[in-house]
Amino acid sequence: MMKKILLLSGCFAAFSMAAMAQEAPPGGIAPDMPDKFQVVDSSFDYVRKDVMIPMRDGTKLYTVILIPKAAHDAPILLTRTPYSADRMVSYAYSGHMSSIMQGYDNMPDVIADGGYIRVIQDVRGKHGSEGSYVMARPLRGPLNGTQVDYSTDTWDTIEWLIHNLPQSNKKVGIIGISYDGYTALTALFHPHPALKVSVPMNPMVDGWMGDDWFHNGAFREETLPYIYTQDATRKSTPKWWASEYDAYDVYLKGVSAGMVGKSRGMEQIGFFNQILAHPAYDSYWQDQAVDKLLQKEGLKVPTMLVHSLWDQEDIYGAIATYYALQKSPSSASNLYLTMGPWNHGGEAKEAGTLGDIDFHADTGLYFRKKVLEPFLAHYLKDPSIPLPARVTSFRTGENVWESSNALPSADCTSGCTSLHFQPEHGLAFTAPAANAGTQQYVSDPAHPVTYIPRPVLTKGVPGSPWAKWLTMDQRNFSARPDVLTMTSGVLTQPFTIKGQPVVHLTASTTGTDGDFVVKLIDVYPDEVPEQREMGGYQLMVSADILRGRYRKSLEHPEAIPANTPQLYKFNLPVADHTFLPGHRIMIQVQSSWFPLYDRNPQTYVDNIFLAPASAYKPAQISVDVANSWIDVHAPTPAAGIFAPQKP
C-alpha cells in the first residue's frame, strides 16, 4: 500500500511540475511552444544529423547526414547540391529512411536498401550553406582566383566525415544527377584518398558545346527561367513569371534572349551578364569545360558516367567526358559508361516508357539493380563483387541491353555508313549524281519552327511535355514547308547504329547568318497492329543544332557569304538504335527550333543577344543534295535493304 501511495505521489508531483510549467506568469499568458522541441524518433530506422562542416577558408556548409541505426562499418554516399539538402531528404515525413528519400538523386532501392550512410550537402551560397554562390563554380584557375572550389570543398567534407562518423568504414562514394553530377565530376580533381568511386549522372560538363546553356553556339532560351530562379537568391525564391500562357508568345514578343532577360531584371545576375558577354566559345567557356580539364588531370578514381539517350537538358556532357578520358589508357582503366533510354535523370525512377515509346521493361530498375548497385558495392563494400561491363547500353528499337568494351570513336573515319540525300526528298546509302540539284525552303524568323507543338508550355508549367519532348512525334514538323524532309524506302532488314552520327550539310542562304537543325528519325510503319496509335510515328533518334556563324571556328564567328554554298559539319548526340524492318529512315533539316533556342536573325550582327527587331529577316535556304549526308557508325548494308518502291 505504501508503494502505491509513493508511486501516486510521484506521478502527481510530475504532473504538477508539468502543469506548473504551463501556468501563466503574472499578467501574462502561458506559452504553448517549448524553448526547444525534441522530436521523439526512437522508432525511426535512421538517425538524422544536421551539421555545419567547416571548409579550409572558414566557410561552413550545411550538411544532412542519415545514418541507418543498424550501420556498422558502413560506406558513405555523398551528394553535393544547390537544390536544398533538407528538401532532398524530406520527400515524406516518416520514420523510414527509404520513404524520406523517394526523390531526386536518392535512389532508395540502392542507397537505403544497401545500408549506406547518406550525406547530402548544400554547395556554397545555396540554402543552408554559408559563402557566395557561383553557377557551376569554376575550378581554381583563370576563372577562379581563390583557394577554394568544389573539389576542395569535397575534399574538406570527406575529411570531416571519415573522422566524425564512427559507424562508417571510411570509404566514400559521390553520386549525383545534372548539377549534382557536375559536383561528382569536380570531386575527381585532386581527390581525397577516401574517395573510392564517383557516379556522375547526366552531368553538366560544357555549357556552350551542348549542355544547359548553348548547343554549338545556339542559346537555349528555355533555360532563362532556371537561371532566373537558381541564381537570383540563396533560397531560389523568385519564380519566373510570364503574362502569356504560350512560351512561344513570351519569347517572340521579347525579340531576343537578351531583351527577354533584361525585361525581368536579370542583368542583376552575374551569370546572365557572363552569357551576354560570351556568345562565342572563348576562354570563358573553354577554361571551365570539365571534359577538357579532367583529361589533363587524369582519372584516378573509378568512375561510372551515366548518360540518357533522350536527355533534354545535358545530352552532351557524359559522352564528351567519356571520349576525353578514353584517350588515356591510365584514365580508361578507371572508366565505365552506362547509356539508357531515359530523359534527364530518368534512370533514377521507373523507366518502362518515355512518352509514347514503350521499352517493355523497367529500364531504370535494371540499371540500378544490375549495374549501379554492384558497381558501388565492389568499390565501397566488397571487391569480390563482380563489376559490370565497361560500357552497358540499351539498344532502342530492339529494346535489349548489351555490353561492350568501348563506344565507337567520336568520328567516322572507319566502320561507318553514309545516309545520302537524294533528289525528290529521298534518302539512300548510295551517293546521288553530282548534278542532283538542290532542295529549298524559306526560313522566316517571324514564324519559327517550334520544338514542340503549340502552345509551348515551359518546364514546370502544369501539362508541360518538357520531360518527354525528345521522343514526341515529329509529324507536325515534317508537314511544314520550312522543314526539309528526306525519307528512305521501307527497310527489309534491321539497320543498327551505335555512336555519334556526323552531319555533312552543304547549303547556301540568301541571308548572312543562319541556324541548321538536323534530326535523324525512325519512321514507324503506317500500321502497328499491337499499338495502333504508333502507326506512322516519327521518333527522333538523334538531333542537334549548329549556329552557322561558327561553321569554321567556334571561337571566332564570321558572317555567311550570301548565296554561297557552305559546309556545316557537326556531331549529333550518341545513339544506340535499330531501325526495324518495315520502318523507314528520315532526316529533317530546318533553321529554327523555337523557343528552345533563340532565333537567329539571319542577318549577321555582332551579338545575337542584342539583335534589334529590324535584323530578323526571312532567308531562302538551298541544300546541295549531292554534297549532303550523315555518317553513322554501322556496317554498309547489303543491296536490297530497301523494299522496291510501289508504282
Side-chain angles (χ1 to χ4, degrees):
M1 183 66 179
M2 182 61 69
K3 289 182 180 179
K4 290 182 179 180
I5 292 173
L6 290 173
L7 180 61
L8 288 171
S9 299
C11 290
F12 178 76
F15 177 79
S16 299
M17 291 176 65
M20 288 173 62
Q22 298 299 321
E23 289 181 359
I29 184 170
D32 289 335
M33 189 179 297
D35 293 336
K36 184 177 182 181
F37 182 79
Q38 184 65 45
V39 176
V40 178
D41 57 3
S42 57
S43 65
F44 289 14
D45 63 10
Y46 66 93
V47 174
R48 170 172 171 164
K49 295 180 180 293
D50 292 40
V51 298
M52 298 294 290
I53 298 181
M55 301 294 104
R56 62 190 62 185
D57 65 343
T59 301
K60 296 179 180 178
L61 303 186
Y62 174 70
T63 309
V64 179
I65 303 171
L66 303 179
I67 307 171
K69 283 196 174 169
H72 172 71
D73 204 29
I76 300 167
L77 269 181
L78 169 66
T79 293
R80 304 189 63 253
T81 183
Y83 301 131
S84 176
D86 177 67
R87 183 182 63 82
M88 288 172 61
V89 295
S90 302
Y91 291 106
Y93 299 101
S94 171
H96 296 292
M97 188 170 165
S98 59
S99 293
I100 66 172
M101 292 169 54
Q102 290 289 339
Y104 187 83
D105 260 5
N106 279 320
M107 295 168 287
D109 54 358
V110 174
I111 299 175
D113 294 356
Y116 292 92
I117 297 171
R118 184 69 170 125
V119 180
I120 305 180
Q121 181 181 75
D122 289 334
V123 298
R124 288 172 173 262
K126 291 301 292 184
H127 300 281
S129 285
E130 299 174 352
S132 60
Y133 178 72
V134 178
M135 181 72 78
R137 178 181 288 269
L139 293 160
R140 289 168 293 167
L143 301 174
N144 180 357
T146 73
Q147 295 303 307
V148 295
D149 58 19
Y150 283 169
S151 69
T152 65
D153 286 350
T154 306
W155 204 101
D156 295 345
T157 298
I158 292 174
E159 181 71 5
W160 188 94
L161 292 172
I162 63 174
H163 288 99
N164 289 275
L165 295 179
Q167 305 90 339
S168 82
N169 64 0
K170 302 187 185 305
K171 293 181 180 180
V172 180
I174 189 166
I175 191 168
I177 297 169
S178 191
Y179 195 114
D180 305 352
Y182 171 73
T183 61
L185 281 174
T186 58
L188 299 171
F189 291 84
H190 312 294
H192 193 287
L195 182 65
K196 302 301 181 184
V197 69
S198 176
V199 184
M201 305 166 71
N202 313 102
M204 299 166 60
V205 170
D206 190 324
W208 195 94
M209 285 298 299
D211 285 328
D212 289 276
W213 321 124
F214 296 81
H215 275 219
N216 297 311
F219 178 66
R220 289 169 64 86
E221 201 162 27
E222 283 271 49
T223 63
L224 285 176
Y226 174 87
I227 298 169
Y228 181 87
T229 298
Q230 178 69 12
D231 220 1
T233 65
R234 181 180 297 270
K235 294 189 179 295
S236 303
T237 48
K239 303 304 176 188
W240 179 260
W241 59 268
S243 299
E244 299 86 359
Y245 178 68
D246 189 345
Y248 179 98
D249 293 323
V250 174
Y251 294 107
L252 194 65
K253 292 177 182 178
V255 181
S256 70
M259 293 182 189
V260 172
K262 288 182 177 182
S263 72
R264 284 153 177 78
M266 290 183 67
E267 67 272 19
Q268 303 168 73
I269 297 171
F271 182 62
F272 176 75
N273 292 325
Q274 294 282 19
I275 284 176
L276 297 190
H278 301 281
Y281 196 54
D282 58 16
S283 60
Y284 174 77
W285 298 109
Q286 295 177 34
D287 288 345
Q288 58 182 301
V290 179
D291 56 328
K292 298 177 178 64
L293 296 174
L294 194 54
Q295 183 180 7
K296 296 176 183 177
E297 169 80 11
L299 187 61
K300 305 174 184 68
V301 175
T303 297
M304 176 180 286
L305 297 162
V306 181
H307 174 72
S308 296
L309 294 168
W310 285 290
D311 189 326
Q312 75 278 17
E313 296 179 22
D314 293 304
I315 203 166
Y316 176 85
I319 299 302
T321 304
Y322 172 84
Y323 281 128
L325 295 174
Q326 189 71 6
K327 294 176 181 177
S328 165
S330 60
S331 292
S333 67
N334 283 315
L335 183 62
Y336 296 80
L337 172 69
T338 299
M339 304 193 307
W342 310 305
N343 58 7
H344 189 67
E347 63 274 18
K349 49 186 179 287
E350 195 281 330
T353 60
L354 182 55
D356 295 321
I357 310 305
D358 190 343
F359 307 117
H360 305 297
D362 186 347
T363 61
L365 180 64
Y366 180 96
F367 159 71
R368 296 192 302 276
K369 303 304 289 185
K370 301 294 186 181
V371 183
L372 178 60
E373 187 174 281
F375 181 74
L376 292 173
H378 176 91
Y379 290 109
L380 296 174
K381 294 180 180 179
D382 181 357
S384 69
I385 295 173
L387 284 164
R390 288 288 173 179
V391 176
T392 304
S393 179
F394 188 85
R395 181 185 297 163
T396 54
E398 291 183 89
N399 295 334
V400 294
W401 285 100
E402 57 184 359
S403 299
S404 59
N405 292 324
L407 277 184
S409 62
D411 53 20
C412 260
T413 54
S414 62
C416 288
T417 294
S418 298
L419 293 165
H420 290 275
F421 290 22
Q422 303 289 322
E424 304 299 325
H425 300 276
L427 191 67
F429 294 116
T430 55
N435 60 349
T438 61
Q439 300 281 0
Q440 291 87 27
Y441 62 92
V442 174
S443 172
D444 185 357
H447 304 282
V449 182
T450 58
Y451 72 99
I452 55 176
R454 294 184 66 183
V456 177
L457 303 184
T458 301
K459 175 185 177 182
V461 174
S464 170
W466 176 251
K468 62 182 181 181
W469 84 265
L470 282 172
T471 61
M472 291 178 67
D473 196 340
Q474 297 298 299
R475 275 180 288 196
N476 280 311
F477 311 110
S478 63
R480 288 182 58 132
D482 51 358
V483 176
L484 176 62
T485 301
M486 319 295 283
T487 310
S488 77
V490 176
L491 291 165
T492 60
Q493 54 188 275
F495 180 66
T496 298
I497 64 172
K498 185 174 182 177
Q500 290 189 293
V502 183
V503 172
H504 301 258
L505 181 71
T506 300
S508 63
T509 174
T510 57
T512 51
D513 199 358
D515 291 344
F516 292 93
V517 178
V518 178
K519 309 173 189 174
L520 179 61
I521 292 169
D522 183 345
V523 182
Y524 282 55
D526 293 338
E527 187 173 16
V528 180
E530 67 275 17
Q531 195 178 0
R532 289 185 58 83
E533 67 275 13
M534 295 301 292
Y537 199 94
Q538 295 180 6
L539 172 64
M540 193 160 56
V541 174
S542 183
D544 217 335
I545 186 172
L546 171 68
R547 181 138 286 174
R549 60 176 54 203
Y550 301 112
R551 68 200 179 281
K552 294 182 178 179
S553 169
L554 303 179
E555 187 174 0
H556 302 291
E558 62 178 61
I560 299 173
N563 302 306
T564 305
Q566 301 285 294
L567 174 63
Y568 302 93
K569 181 180 178 182
F570 58 104
N571 285 7
L572 300 184
V574 71
D576 188 356
H577 183 77
T578 297
F579 296 84
L580 297 172
H583 291 228
R584 290 177 293 160
I585 305 170
M586 175 183 284
I587 293 173
Q588 291 180 9
V589 180
Q590 60 201 53
S591 290
S592 52
W593 223 3
F594 184 76
L596 177 64
Y597 296 95
D598 63 336
R599 295 176 303 152
N600 192 312
Q602 302 183 151
T603 302
Y604 189 85
V605 295
D606 287 339
N607 190 333
I608 291 177
F609 286 120
L610 308 176
S614 60
Y616 292 80
K617 296 178 181 179
Q620 179 171 291
I621 313 300
S622 298
V623 174
D624 183 342
V625 172
N627 291 295
S628 297
W629 68 89
I630 293 182
D631 287 330
V632 292
H633 290 272
T636 302
I641 191 171
F642 296 125
Q645 295 287 334
K646 294 181 180 180

